[in-house]
Amino acid sequence: MQRQAGRTILQSSLLQLAFLIFKNLGQIKNSMKNAFPELKNDLLLRTLNGREVERPPVWMMRQAGRYLPQYMEIRKKYTFFERVETPELACEITIQPIDELGPDAAIIFSDILTVPQALGIDVDLVKGKGPVIDNPIRSVDDAFAILARDVPGKLNHVMEAITLTRRELNGRVPLIGFAGAPWTLFCYMVQGEGSKNFAKAKAFMYQHPDAARHVMKELTKATIDYLKAQVSAGAQVVQLFDSWAGLLGPEDFNEWAMPCLMEICDAVDEVPLILFAKGSWYALERLSFKSGAAAVGLDWTITPEYGREATRGEIVLQGNFDPSKLMMPADEIKRQTTRMIDRFGPQKYIANLGHGILPNIPVDHARAFIDAVKEYEPRKVV
Amino acid sequence: MQRQAGRTILQSSLLQLAFLIFKNLGQIKNSMKNAFPELKNDLLLRTLNGREVERPPVWMMRQAGRYLPQYMEIRKKYTFFERVETPELACEITIQPIDELGPDAAIIFSDILTVPQALGIDVDLVKGKGPVIDNPIRSVDDAFAILARDVPGKLNHVMEAITLTRRELNGRVPLIGFAGAPWTLFCYMVQGEGSKNFAKAKAFMYQHPDAARHVMKELTKATIDYLKAQVSAGAQVVQLFDSWAGLLGPEDFNEWAMPCLMEICDAVDEVPLILFAKGSWYALERLSFKSGAAAVGLDWTITPEYGREATRGEIVLQGNFDPSKLMMPADEIKRQTTRMIDRFGPQKYIANLGHGILPNIPVDHARAFIDAVKEYEPRKVV
């Protein structure tokens, strides 16, 4: 009877196990697939987790970019979206600056306009002009037609690029994923191209607030799905770019941009999230204390002293070297970089530019910036 | 003997008088020429002089612009610089919004790039592209070749336009003259065209600081001469536009832009000067207390509360309605305009936009903005 019962228990346990395996197959497959090499340089992650560090980590926004001769070689052969959509190319481009300059993090080579593409907006990149959209949102109907459906599935090439790159990085540095924030994506989707003031997009928002709210809501949902999928694919940190936040006044920012940022930060809680809302100096306190982000990026119009004061020294800050200053002589770049760290302080700080690195920057100048951070007087962790 | 002496004294006095008249002929001619009609609406001048007023004055930056059908008619017939350089056309265009909308000031129709033109920089306005410069500053030699010589003489058409317009306004409202600030003009002169970040101009400044300083110094001198000439010609207020101040970080602003602004404000003391340095929120206190300007303009990223606090309620502020908000329904524009005045307070305040009025704004919407200010609950001057 006991034996009989034992067999029954065993049989039932095996059955349960089989059921569990079957039920969680996707997750198990994922975690096996994502058995990535161990991380050797975890300086960025320790900083983002609020730990004391020996020196600030450093990386550069748009570091896989047009200042690198290696990148320009690839650029000759493939269009921009070929580079973005071919995982092997995106991987190679992402790793180029790691090999060349040795920053403390890699950021996946991609574009913020992938999400609009996944939502049915046709984005083309026209040389000398930037992004051009064939079917921008022009009417209330266009706006309500935007629906966030299976965005990660449509952007599977990005996930593949992330998984491949994380493997190829072989634990040298963590890999950062990213997305554009809903307000910034809305700007492009309505304006149809880059702009100094995105007047059409703002006009649409003021004239059709319900339709605009719908688009922003779908973009928020899409961005959450997208960033979560990036994390599953291997992103160890994510950054959210609200590049056009500065076009909004403080009240419009609170009404239109901030709720999306808060919802995304709240939902994407698997890895640290860095929030960069360019130009929104007036929202610094709210971004820091209300968003729940692990770190906040600053552009160069904010002094280190103002940044620290507005965030009461409690928040991890990232930034904010003026990208144009990389045209200074290399020794002056080093001097100014060291001074910037002195002013922010070496703790709770990620050294970076205040916006993306510009084309035509000599590689040695980018190196001077990174070296200055890496050579910053190392202090022992107490 | 007495008679003899009397005659001698008379003769000598007549001689002296003749000499004095001859010596001051230019000045006398000027003051006769400038015997302008008496000013009927002096609300702007009283506000700028710190007097208590019954309601804030209102005008709109770029109010003689592409939103006005009357202007578009003239635009069909003449190129941009034909319009700027023909006093009769500039006069007509300046007065159009006064007739149509009734703001409390006229601003002379002109362009900030007149000064670079007077310094030998060939500016063209290309449709859909903005200003394009054939011979931008590309080298240190180009920079040192810039010399401020007889700028008012070369821009005599502007002075003629001002004198003619002030006459034609017939005292209805005061006439505002203006100039671009040296930093903003430097941006165009080096970049050679409009730009989102003026990276070439900033790079030049960081690489060749002495050459850049020379250009900025000559531009300062040219701007002083130019504004003083505008005042002699009839401008009753002048505004200085540092449209690209926000591209500089706080330290660079203090080093590069601020000294020029201070020197100009100091030198042009004949009439009140309004300083508008767009995007330089970080310099608001210095602009207010160090520049010596009669008023400081704000863009819409600065809340009225922040503006008043940073300037301790002591300074006349101008602004800062988001130009895109003129796309809202007219009654909402009125509501938001009234709320803006409530927040700034009706004293020491000039109602205006936070940047130039955009094309495609319905005339009725521009009117709603101006009417809302004019209908603001009038309060008796105590």
Side-chain angles (χ1 to χ4, degrees):
Chain A
M1 167 108 177
Q2 254 205 355
R3 208 184 147 99
Q4 175 82 11
R7 267 213 303 273
T8 309
I9 289 165
L10 184 66
Q11 279 171 342
S12 133
S13 297
L14 281 172
L15 215 68
Q16 276 188 307
L17 187 64
F19 176 73
L20 272 173
I21 289 171
F22 179 76
K23 192 178 150 203
N24 296 301
L25 203 60
Q27 204 178 320
I28 289 161
K29 204 174 128 196
N30 250 343
S31 70
M32 283 177 69
K33 187 181 86 180
N34 291 352
F36 292 113
E38 203 189 335
L39 186 61
K40 290 157 205 144
N41 176 349
D42 64 349
L43 193 56
L44 178 68
L45 292 178
R46 279 187 285 134
T47 302
L48 284 167
N49 288 326
R51 306 248 307 272
E52 196 164 345
V53 289
E54 52 281 16
R55 64 158 174 89
V58 58
W59 65 282
M60 290 186 301
M61 288 191 277
R62 215 185 291 144
Q63 68 189 6
R66 283 183 284 160
Y67 71 105
L68 268 187
Q70 300 94 311
Y71 173 76
M72 296 309 278
E73 281 304 310
I74 296 181
R75 196 169 176 248
K76 279 182 204 160
K77 292 183 219 155
Y78 306 94
T79 68
F80 181 74
F81 281 112
E82 278 170 1
R83 281 168 269 153
V84 165
E85 288 165 14
T86 311
E88 291 72 20
L89 290 177
C91 170
E92 186 179 343
I93 295 168
T94 303
I95 294 177
Q96 281 175 349
I98 312 304
D99 292 339
E100 181 69 42
L101 302 171
D104 296 306
I107 181 161
I108 192 68
F109 176 77
S110 186
D111 194 84
I112 61 168
L113 295 180
T114 50
V115 166
Q117 282 178 319
L119 299 181
I121 296 284
D122 304 325
V123 182
D124 203 6
L125 213 80
V126 178
K127 208 178 163 181
K129 205 176 167 199
V132 172
I133 289 165
D134 288 334
N135 57 343
I137 295 173
R138 282 281 176 266
S139 68
V140 169
D141 284 350
D142 290 349
F144 279 108
I146 298 290
L147 291 171
R149 281 192 194 130
D150 187 28
V151 169
K154 287 172 191 155
L155 299 176
N156 203 39
H157 56 270
V158 177
M159 314 319 155
E160 282 177 25
I162 286 174
T163 303
L164 179 64
T165 307
R166 177 137 172 217
R167 268 193 213 298
E168 293 292 319
L169 276 170
N170 198 23
R172 281 201 279 167
V173 290
L175 180 59
I176 305 173
F178 73 89
W183 159 248
T184 291
L185 299 182
F186 174 86
C187 279
Y188 285 105
M189 288 164 74
V190 179
Q191 192 77 22
E193 60 188 355
S195 163
K196 249 188 299 196
N197 54 20
F198 285 92
K200 271 186 214 169
K202 289 176 79 175
F204 188 94
M205 179 177 95
Y206 290 132
Q207 291 178 308
H208 312 294
D210 289 341
R213 232 181 301 276
H214 167 80
V215 176
M216 238 78 104
K217 211 177 135 191
E218 294 301 305
L219 282 168
T220 301
K221 189 177 173 310
T223 306
I224 290 170
D225 293 348
Y226 184 44
L227 287 176
K228 279 183 175 283
Q230 290 188 28
V231 173
S232 292
Q236 290 149 290
V237 171
V238 290
Q239 176 155 324
L240 195 54
F241 286 88
D242 216 348
S243 310
W244 299 116
L247 295 177
L248 293 171
E251 291 194 305
D252 282 329
F253 182 85
N254 286 346
E255 183 176 345
W256 292 100
M258 189 69 189
C260 308
L261 299 177
M262 284 173 74
E263 201 177 327
I264 296 165
C265 290
D266 199 47
V268 181
D269 55 0
E270 300 88 350
V271 299
L273 185 148
I274 305 169
L275 200 53
F276 180 53
K278 188 168 179 292
S280 65
W281 62 275
Y282 48 76
L284 183 51
E285 201 174 339
R286 298 199 81 213
L287 285 171
S288 303
F289 293 106
K290 300 267 181 189
S291 73
V296 172
L298 307 181
D299 62 56
W300 65 95
T301 66
I302 296 176
T303 61
E305 293 76 16
Y306 183 90
R308 286 300 185 200
E309 199 192 318
T311 62
R312 298 172 226 159
E314 292 174 24
I315 304 296
V316 177
L317 296 178
Q318 172 178 285
N320 68 344
F321 203 79
D322 185 339
S324 298
K325 284 195 176 173
L326 291 185
M327 290 304 283
M328 288 176 160
D331 57 346
E332 183 61 20
I333 291 170
K334 284 197 160 191
R335 207 187 63 79
Q336 296 235 9
T337 307
T338 304
R339 192 166 158 261
M340 174 177 73
I341 306 173
D342 282 338
R343 293 172 71 191
F344 275 108
Q347 301 301 328
K348 288 195 178 125
Y349 176 55
I350 302 161
N352 203 320
L353 307 178
H355 199 192
I357 185 168
L358 297 161
N360 307 325
I361 298 293
V363 174
D364 281 349
H365 290 210
R367 184 178 288 114
F369 175 75
I370 286 177
D371 283 353
V373 184
K374 291 168 86 173
E375 289 160 12
Y376 191 80
E377 54 173 70
R379 301 196 313 163
K380 285 274 172 243
V381 179
V382 187
Chain B
M1 169 105 181
Q2 255 202 354
R3 210 184 145 101
Q4 175 83 10
R7 269 215 302 274
T8 309
I9 289 166
L10 184 67
Q11 278 171 342
S12 134
S13 295
L14 281 171
L15 214 69
Q16 275 187 310
L17 187 64
F19 177 71
L20 272 171
I21 288 172
F22 179 76
K23 194 179 150 202
N24 296 299
L25 201 60
Q27 206 180 318
I28 289 160
K29 203 174 128 197
N30 250 343
S31 68
M32 282 178 68
K33 187 181 84 181
N34 291 352
F36 293 114
E38 202 189 337
L39 186 61
K40 290 158 205 145
N41 176 349
D42 64 348
L43 194 55
L44 178 69
L45 292 179
R46 279 187 284 135
T47 301
L48 285 166
N49 288 327
R51 305 251 304 274
E52 196 163 345
V53 288
E54 51 282 15
R55 64 159 175 89
V58 58
W59 64 283
M60 291 186 300
M61 288 191 276
R62 214 185 291 146
Q63 69 190 6
R66 283 184 283 161
Y67 71 105
L68 268 188
Q70 299 93 312
Y71 175 75
M72 296 310 278
E73 281 305 308
I74 296 182
R75 197 171 175 247
K76 278 183 202 159
K77 293 185 218 152
Y78 308 93
T79 68
F80 181 75
F81 281 112
E82 278 170 359
R83 279 168 270 153
V84 166
E85 288 164 14
T86 311
E88 291 73 20
L89 290 178
C91 171
E92 185 180 343
I93 294 168
T94 303
I95 294 177
Q96 280 174 349
I98 312 304
D99 292 339
E100 179 69 45
L101 302 171
D104 296 305
I107 181 162
I108 190 69
F109 176 76
S110 186
D111 193 83
I112 60 168
L113 296 180
T114 49
V115 166
Q117 282 179 318
L119 299 180
I121 296 284
D122 304 325
V123 182
D124 203 6
L125 213 80
V126 178
K127 207 180 163 181
K129 207 177 166 200
V132 172
I133 288 166
D134 287 335
N135 58 343
I137 295 173
R138 281 281 176 268
S139 68
V140 168
D141 284 350
D142 290 349
F144 279 108
I146 298 290
L147 290 172
R149 281 191 194 130
D150 186 27
V151 169
K154 287 172 191 155
L155 298 176
N156 203 39
H157 55 271
V158 177
M159 313 320 153
E160 282 177 25
I162 286 174
T163 304
L164 180 63
T165 306
R166 178 137 172 218
R167 270 194 212 295
E168 292 292 319
L169 277 170
N170 197 25
R172 281 200 279 166
V173 291
L175 179 60
I176 306 173
F178 73 89
W183 158 249
T184 290
L185 299 182
F186 174 85
C187 278
Y188 286 104
M189 288 164 74
V190 178
Q191 192 76 23
E193 59 187 355
S195 163
K196 248 188 301 195
N197 53 21
F198 285 91
K200 271 186 213 169
K202 288 175 78 175
F204 188 92
M205 179 178 95
Y206 290 132
Q207 291 177 309
H208 312 295
D210 289 342
R213 232 180 303 275
H214 167 82
V215 176
M216 237 78 102
K217 213 177 132 189
E218 294 301 305
L219 282 168
T220 301
K221 188 177 173 309
T223 306
I224 290 170
D225 294 346
Y226 184 42
L227 287 176
K228 279 182 174 284
Q230 290 188 27
V231 173
S232 294
Q236 289 149 292
V237 171
V238 291
Q239 177 154 324
L240 196 54
F241 286 89
D242 216 348
S243 311
W244 297 117
L247 295 176
L248 294 171
E251 291 194 304
D252 283 329
F253 182 85
N254 285 346
E255 184 175 344
W256 292 99
M258 189 70 188
C260 308
L261 298 177
M262 284 173 73
E263 202 176 327
I264 295 165
C265 289
D266 199 47
V268 182
D269 54 2
E270 299 86 351
V271 298
L273 185 149
I274 305 170
L275 200 52
F276 180 53
K278 189 169 179 290
S280 66
W281 63 274
Y282 48 76
L284 183 51
E285 201 175 339
R286 298 198 83 214
L287 285 171
S288 304
F289 293 106
K290 300 268 181 188
S291 73
V296 172
L298 307 182
D299 63 55
W300 65 93
T301 66
I302 295 176
T303 61
E305 294 76 16
Y306 183 91
R308 285 300 184 199
E309 199 192 318
T311 61
R312 298 173 226 160
E314 292 175 22
I315 304 296
V316 177
L317 296 177
Q318 173 178 282
N320 68 345
F321 203 79
D322 185 339
S324 299
K325 283 195 176 173
L326 291 185
M327 290 304 283
M328 288 176 160
D331 56 347
E332 182 61 20
I333 292 169
K334 285 199 159 191
R335 207 187 61 80
Q336 296 234 10
T337 305
T338 304
R339 193 165 158 262
M340 174 177 75
I341 305 173
D342 282 338
R343 293 171 72 190
F344 275 107
Q347 300 301 327
K348 288 194 178 124
Y349 177 54
I350 302 161
N352 204 321
L353 306 178
H355 200 191
I357 186 169
L358 296 162
N360 307 325
I361 297 293
V363 175
D364 281 348
H365 290 210
R367 184 178 289 115
F369 175 76
I370 286 176
D371 284 352
V373 184
K374 291 169 85 173
E375 290 159 12
Y376 191 80
E377 52 174 74
R379 300 197 311 165
K380 285 274 171 245
V381 177
V382 187

